[in-house]
């Protein structure tokens, strides 16, 4: 007991003498009355602004989509709403794109506070940015014409010279195609939301997509099929992306996701958008 008291005295003495009335650490502050104050620089900045700036591509039904009138809807958009509600602020959506996503997240001056909507959690992203816990399971699959669904039963059936594979630029779909489809003809199309219709119309044969996106299109367009929906090529999770140094905001986002899992809100969103609940 005596040793603990001596250590406490030395710590308090050095804190007062060397750093004055207040000493700041990476994530907390110790005042002269020994009260530990948790710093929340990102959250404080957002709350003082009264608005959280959220980057989203707006091209990924049913996770994030921007209508012609500028309104946004989708699974990820509703998760963003829960984050804003916890902060007690409004939302302003900031357009980003898959090719520029990482650059936009890390830009100076900062373009937005966080990014959401179909963003896969990867080790590469976590090395240079912060990623939340997962709130939606995903995996690579395909869309094709319903009339040709029997033609594609495995990856090798797609990786042939006479198969035209269409992907959006800059994201993990393009990366997956380039790494795994060395014989197929890969076509890059700028607007992700247009690709399913182009597949249905015969402009390409296969779209590399996610199990989070494919169900929406096969439900809304009978010309399309997703024959490998229940056997995705990869397995992963989708989360919220933000720049490093925003640990207070990351913790809040993770708390929101945890609460949504606990109270059933997340399951209800899965059911609303026809997605498979994995938690």
């Amino acid at each position: 007991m005596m040793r603990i008291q001596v250590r406490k005295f030395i710590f308090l003495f050095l804190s007062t003498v060397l750093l004055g009335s207040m000493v700041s650490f990476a994530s907390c502050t110790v005042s002269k009355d020994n009260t530990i104050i948790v710093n929340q620089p990102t959250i404080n900045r957002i709350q003082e602004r009264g608005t959280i700036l959220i980057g989203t591509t707006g091209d990924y039904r049913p996770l994030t989509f921007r209508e012609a009138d500028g309104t946004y809807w989708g699974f990820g958009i509703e998760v963003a709403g829960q984050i804003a509600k916890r902060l007690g602020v409004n939302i302003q959506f900031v357009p980003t794109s898959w090719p520029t996503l990482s650059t936009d997240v890390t830009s100076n001056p900062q373009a937005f506070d966080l990014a959401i909507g179909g963003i896969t959690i990867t080790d590469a992203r976590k090395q240079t940015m912060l990623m939340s816990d997962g709130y939606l399971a995903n995996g690579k699959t395909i869309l094709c014409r319903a009339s040709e669904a029997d033609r594609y039963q495995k990856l090798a059936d797609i990786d042939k010279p006479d198969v035209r594979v269409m992907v959006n630029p800059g994201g993990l779909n393009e990366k997956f195609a380039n790494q795994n489809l060395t014989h197929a003809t890969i076509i890059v199309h700028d607007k992700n939301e247009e690709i399913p219709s182009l597949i249905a119309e015969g402009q390409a044969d296969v779209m590399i997509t996610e199990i989070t996106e494919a169900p929406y299109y096969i439900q809304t367009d009978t010309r399309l099929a997703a024959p490998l929906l229940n056997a995705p090529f990869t397995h992963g999770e989708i989360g919220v992306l933000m720049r490093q140094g925003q640990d207070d905001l990351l913790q809040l986002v993770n708390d929101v996701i945890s609460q949504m899992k606990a109270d059933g809100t997340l399951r209800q969103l899965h059911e609303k958008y026809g997605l498979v609940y994995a938690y």
Side-chain angles (χ1 to χ4, degrees):
M1 180 66 70
M2 181 64 69
R3 181 175 297 176
I4 294 174
Q5 291 177 341
V6 169
R7 287 178 177 174
K8 181 177 180 181
F9 173 79
I10 293 173
F11 172 77
L12 295 176
F13 176 80
L14 291 176
S15 298
T16 302
V17 173
L18 297 178
L19 300 179
S21 62
M22 187 171 283
V23 56
S24 295
F25 296 99
S27 60
C28 66
T29 302
V30 181
S31 66
K32 61 183 179 181
D33 63 357
N34 304 327
T35 301
I36 297 178
I37 306 169
V38 177
N39 289 333
Q40 294 184 307
T42 309
I43 291 176
N44 290 341
R45 184 177 71 249
I46 293 169
Q47 291 179 329
E48 288 173 2
R49 186 197 301 142
T51 302
I52 184 169
L53 306 178
I54 295 184
T56 193
T57 61
D59 65 349
Y60 196 161
R61 298 184 182 97
L63 305 189
T64 169
F65 193 76
R66 183 180 186 272
E67 296 289 355
D69 63 1
T71 59
Y72 286 84
W73 63 269
F75 187 102
I77 300 304
E78 296 205 39
V79 174
Q82 293 294 319
I83 295 170
K85 181 179 179 181
R86 176 69 69 89
L87 287 165
V89 298
N90 298 317
I91 296 179
Q92 178 180 334
F93 291 108
V94 180
T96 184
S97 68
W98 298 111
T100 65
L101 179 62
S102 295
T103 300
D104 291 344
V105 168
T106 58
S107 66
N108 285 305
Q110 192 168 350
F112 41 73
D113 301 305
L114 58 82
I116 201 167
I119 304 171
T120 301
I121 299 171
T122 67
D123 290 337
R125 282 174 173 153
K126 291 167 75 171
Q127 286 177 1
T128 58
M129 295 169 282
L130 299 178
M131 288 221 72
S132 74
D133 295 336
Y135 61 82
L136 179 63
N138 74 339
K140 299 297 176 195
T141 191
I142 65 167
L143 278 176
C144 67
R145 285 181 292 282
S147 60
E148 296 186 343
D150 292 340
R151 178 181 177 185
Y152 307 111
Q153 297 301 309
K154 55 185 181 298
L155 193 61
D157 295 335
I158 304 164
D159 192 22
K160 296 180 178 180
D162 61 335
V163 178
R164 299 164 298 165
V165 177
M166 189 171 284
V167 294
N168 60 304
L172 295 182
N173 291 339
E174 182 184 21
K175 182 178 180 180
F176 177 87
N178 288 333
Q179 290 179 342
N180 295 278
L181 303 174
T182 57
H183 300 96
T185 300
I186 297 175
I187 304 170
V188 178
H189 186 77
D190 286 340
K191 295 184 178 180
N192 183 71
E193 70 273 21
E194 294 179 351
I195 298 178
S197 293
L198 294 175
I199 298 297
E201 294 165 3
Q203 300 300 310
D205 303 306
V206 168
M207 175 187 184
I208 298 298
T209 183
E210 303 277 358
I211 61 173
T212 50
E213 184 179 34
Y216 173 84
Y217 287 104
I218 62 176
Q219 291 168 15
T220 57
D221 191 335
T222 57
R223 298 174 297 172
L224 295 170
L228 301 176
L229 186 61
N230 295 321
F233 306 127
T234 63
H235 297 274
E237 289 185 282
I238 285 173
V240 178
L241 183 67
M242 66 190 76
R243 70 191 299 143
Q244 290 183 341
Q246 298 189 159
D247 299 86
D248 57 329
L249 181 60
L250 177 66
Q251 183 59 58
L252 181 140
V253 169
N254 283 337
D255 288 346
V256 169
I257 293 172
S258 177
Q259 182 61 39
M260 292 180 71
K261 291 175 180 177
D263 65 16
T265 305
L266 196 64
R267 181 183 289 275
Q268 291 171 9
L269 278 184
H270 280 74
E271 294 173 352
K272 176 179 179 179
Y273 289 100
L275 302 171
V276 177
Y277 189 73
Y279 301 100

